[in-house]
Amino acid sequence: MSRISPLNWPVLRQLRGADPFARGEHTESTRTQEMEGRIAEADRVVKSVCPYCAVGCGQRVYVKDEKVIQIEGDPDSPHSRGRLCPKGAASEQLVNAPNRLTDILYRAPKSKEWVKLDRETALEMVVDRFMEARANGWQDVDEKGRPVRRTMGIAGLGGAAMDNEENYLIKKLWTASGAVQIENQARI
């Protein structure tokens, strides 16, 4: 058969051969056959939850040399079944952004300078202020003498980036702390 024969056209070869839908190995170039995906290089896969909204889509986070190299939807997730919205699919950029702050910064009242704090110091400052606000706003009884055992010195605002279980536990924390001003972003 000559090189320019119509029987040698790709569509006719495809229909004559064992691969009528052109999905076989002969439809790929050598370069394409040699390519590997980014996830093939990963050292490990970590399951996570997308941080953007309250849906809580499952994610597979691919890590190489302790750096996130790819984030994909988790097919084991019962409600997202491996799918992610555009923001969730781009969350690898959030993790690896060059301008992302990774230090705890504190600016004292009336100061113009930010100071780096270690995690323990920052956490102690938060706990001390929380406990002080709770104590300063505590009420054992209301104006009619009825027991209320509450504080008006703290309030809670939940976020839609947390799933139902996290919001439930935070609501329990606020309630156990005596707070009555508890709200969630999804209701506002």
Side-chain angles (χ1 to χ4, degrees):
M1 181 164 54
S2 80
R3 187 157 162 49
I4 55 174
S5 167
L7 296 175
N8 210 16
W9 289 353
V11 174
L12 292 177
R13 274 187 304 161
Q14 174 183 327
L15 294 173
R16 280 185 310 156
D19 186 22
F21 296 108
R23 294 183 181 152
E25 61 187 40
H26 300 294
T27 60
E28 295 180 350
S29 68
T30 307
R31 181 176 171 265
T32 303
Q33 290 175 347
E34 293 172 355
M35 291 177 77
E36 285 186 344
R38 282 181 279 193
I39 61 173
E41 300 174 358
D43 296 332
R44 61 191 165 109
V45 180
V46 180
K47 292 193 177 216
S48 184
V49 177
C50 180
Y52 284 112
C53 74
V55 174
C57 295
Q59 291 183 325
R60 286 186 178 173
V61 180
Y62 295 88
V63 180
K64 179 182 179 187
D65 300 329
E66 297 305 311
K67 184 175 189 284
V68 174
I69 59 170
Q70 178 71 7
I71 296 179
E72 296 179 352
D74 186 0
D76 296 334
S77 175
H79 57 278
S80 61
R81 296 180 301 207
R83 298 175 189 90
L84 292 175
C85 72
K87 285 174 73 174
S91 56
E92 179 269 332
Q93 296 170 10
L94 172 73
V95 174
N96 292 325
N99 295 331
R100 179 179 180 213
L101 293 177
T102 56
D103 296 316
I104 299 171
L105 300 177
Y106 171 72
R107 189 179 63 150
K110 300 182 180 157
S111 174
K112 295 181 180 179
E113 302 295 322
W114 290 92
V115 179
K116 288 183 184 179
L117 294 179
D118 62 286
R119 188 178 308 266
E120 291 76 26
T121 303
L123 190 57
E124 283 297 320
M125 290 171 69
V126 171
V127 169
D128 291 343
R129 291 173 183 186
F130 181 89
M131 296 305 291
E132 181 184 351
R134 181 178 183 268
N136 291 340
W138 187 257
Q139 295 176 334
D140 276 322
V141 293
D142 64 6
E143 60 278 348
K144 294 183 181 178
R146 295 177 291 201
V148 289
R149 292 184 292 280
R150 66 182 182 197
T151 182
M152 301 305 276
I154 57 174
L157 176 62
M162 297 184 289
D163 60 26
N164 290 339
E165 291 80 12
E166 289 172 309
N167 275 315
Y168 174 79
L169 291 173
I170 288 178
K171 165 79 164 75
K172 288 291 203 184
L173 169 72
W174 290 125
T175 305
S177 300
V180 292
Q181 304 170 93
I182 305 168
E183 195 52 79
N184 189 289
Q185 174 188 358
R187 287 178 15 105
I188 295 178

